[in-house]
Amino acid sequence: MIHNRIDMQKQNYAIGVLSFPGSNCDQDMINTLRDLFSARVDLIWHRDSIQVKYDLLIVPGGFSYGDYLRAGAIARFARAMNSLQEHAKRGGAIIGICNGFQILCEVDLLPGALIRNQSLKHICKDVILHAPTRNAFTKELDLSRTYRIPVSHSDGNYRIEADGLKALQDDDQIVFRYAQNPNGSVDDIAGITDKNNRILGMMPHPERAANSMVGNLDGKLLLESFLI
Amino acid sequence: MYLARVFVQLKESVLDPQGQAVTRALQDLGNSEVEDIRIGKYIEVRLQAENELQAREKVEHYCVSLLANPVIEKYRFELEESGQ
């Protein structure tokens, strides 16, 4: 892939990508980030505590610990997750994609939970996303257009109680909505942020649509907006 | 030694797509009297504890911290003393 890598505005911008037994999007994410950005990108094994002060931590997609008990439930006891919690307390940025979104909900860094798709089927296809609000993660996006991003999940059905949903809506925490809801998520939710706009969780995979070889660069636009 | 039988189930307010699918399947098999099915998990935990109260507190802690996700699930458990 030939293009100019984007210089990060901040010198020495460093990104850590966590990896659990069963993670399968960690290398895609790392390769995509290294391809696109002039940032330091490290892989962090789940058993290691995190020594570097990263600007951004990413919890990638996959099936950590075989999705045993509930998707994302067991990851919280990993040493790297303790470090991630400290990173969150310091106000550090975190992005969880797919299984990463499930994990961030399980550890209460994001509200709600993800349950089995309404259809009971694993859904693997492109979906069309709206970005309804302007915030830290959508600042570079054109909110008047849609973005085509792949999803691949069995448990992407976002659930939250009515008052929690109202808080997400009132505080502009819904970052992405499906144009056509594939999995039964309440309010067509595909991605949310925490109250402070520092933590993003989303089911679709922008890292799978960020290379011209796959014929879709919408994910690149999303990642640029998240990182720049 | 105590044996805890833990039952975890989606809350009533949370959609249970598996339960819906199995309801339909049983109805399709001719069991038109079936009205609703909710599917859950059954977990057996064997643990050492000094007395029943302590065992109860420990299992309660297991449920809240890992076995159930209180955002979407409810749980209950039965406790019995079992052999060493």
Side-chain angles (χ1 to χ4, degrees):
Chain A
M1 183 174 171
I2 300 162
H3 57 74
N4 295 324
R5 290 197 305 176
I6 294 163
D7 277 321
M8 305 303 295
Q9 286 165 354
K10 192 182 161 212
Q11 290 286 311
N12 306 321
Y13 193 92
I15 306 169
V17 178
L18 274 64
S19 182
F20 302 91
S23 295
N24 62 13
C25 300
D26 43 350
Q27 291 299 334
D28 282 0
M29 181 58 84
I30 288 170
N31 291 336
T32 300
L33 292 174
R34 285 182 181 157
D35 230 16
L36 294 179
F37 304 99
S38 64
R40 167 182 170 178
V41 186
D42 295 337
L43 180 75
I44 298 162
W45 184 234
H46 70 123
R47 282 186 179 281
D48 298 332
S49 55
I50 302 172
Q51 309 296 339
V52 178
K53 284 231 160 67
Y54 288 100
D55 297 281
L56 168 68
L57 289 177
I58 297 183
V59 191
F63 299 86
S64 58
Y65 306 95
D67 273 354
Y68 293 163
L69 199 61
R70 294 178 305 277
I74 298 180
R76 85 171 76 161
F77 302 101
R79 218 167 283 149
M81 285 301 289
N82 293 335
S83 301
L84 180 131
Q85 294 270 19
E86 287 161 23
H87 173 85
K89 275 189 204 132
R90 285 198 300 268
I94 302 172
I95 296 175
I97 308 284
C98 198
N99 188 224
F101 185 13
Q102 295 160 345
I103 291 171
L104 294 180
C105 287
E106 278 282 342
V107 297
D108 276 341
L109 287 174
L110 290 172
L114 293 137
I115 66 167
R116 188 58 45 91
N117 294 338
Q118 175 116 48
S119 63
L120 298 178
K121 288 180 180 146
H122 186 98
I123 301 166
C124 184
K125 64 175 185 182
D126 285 356
V127 296
I128 304 298
L129 297 179
H130 294 285
T133 52
R134 183 70 71 198
N135 64 29
F137 292 100
T138 60
K139 59 190 178 302
E140 299 289 325
L141 296 182
D142 175 358
L143 302 190
S144 64
R145 60 159 283 191
T146 57
Y147 293 86
R148 183 163 62 89
I149 305 291
V151 293
S152 180
H153 59 245
S154 298
D155 300 80
N157 187 346
Y158 183 75
R159 294 281 128 188
I160 190 165
E161 307 261 334
D163 50 345
L165 177 62
K166 188 166 184 311
L168 287 182
Q169 293 164 339
D170 291 350
D171 298 340
D172 286 341
Q173 286 174 254
I174 299 170
V175 184
F176 296 111
R177 280 201 180 92
Y178 301 109
Q180 284 182 308
N181 193 333
N183 53 28
S185 287
V186 292
D187 200 22
D188 303 327
I189 287 174
I192 58 167
T193 63
D194 72 321
K195 265 196 166 44
N196 301 321
N197 249 272
R198 298 294 291 156
I199 303 173
L200 165 73
M202 62 187 291
M203 289 312 295
H205 287 270
E207 78 280 9
R208 293 189 185 181
N211 186 314
S212 52
M213 280 193 294
V214 299
N216 178 4
L217 288 170
D218 283 3
K220 175 172 176 275
L221 300 173
L222 264 56
L223 290 171
E224 286 171 1
S225 182
F226 297 165
L227 266 67
I228 294 171
Chain B
M1 178 88 101
Y2 287 87
L3 168 65
R5 305 174 193 279
V6 183
F7 302 86
V8 181
Q9 204 157 24
L10 288 171
K11 287 179 182 171
E12 299 300 331
S13 58
V14 178
L15 185 85
D16 177 8
Q18 264 192 97
Q20 286 181 345
V22 176
T23 303
R24 269 197 304 277
L26 267 187
Q27 289 167 342
D28 290 348
L29 285 170
N31 305 292
S32 56
E33 68 281 4
V34 174
E35 287 183 0
D36 190 32
I37 290 177
R38 311 264 311 162
I39 291 180
K41 292 180 192 127
Y42 169 60
I43 303 166
E44 287 184 351
V45 184
R46 280 171 215 282
L47 69 153
Q48 298 285 356
E50 282 171 17
N51 53 50
E52 196 184 322
L53 180 68
Q54 194 195 50
R56 194 161 288 282
E57 282 172 1
K58 282 177 185 285
V59 176
E60 186 75 34
H61 172 67
Y62 305 156
C63 289
V64 180
S65 60
L66 178 63
L67 300 182
N69 178 348
V71 176
I72 44 169
E73 293 171 325
K74 58 182 183 177
Y75 63 86
R76 66 183 174 83
F77 60 87
E78 297 160 0
L79 201 59
E80 70 178 58
E81 238 185 309
S82 68
Q84 284 306 301

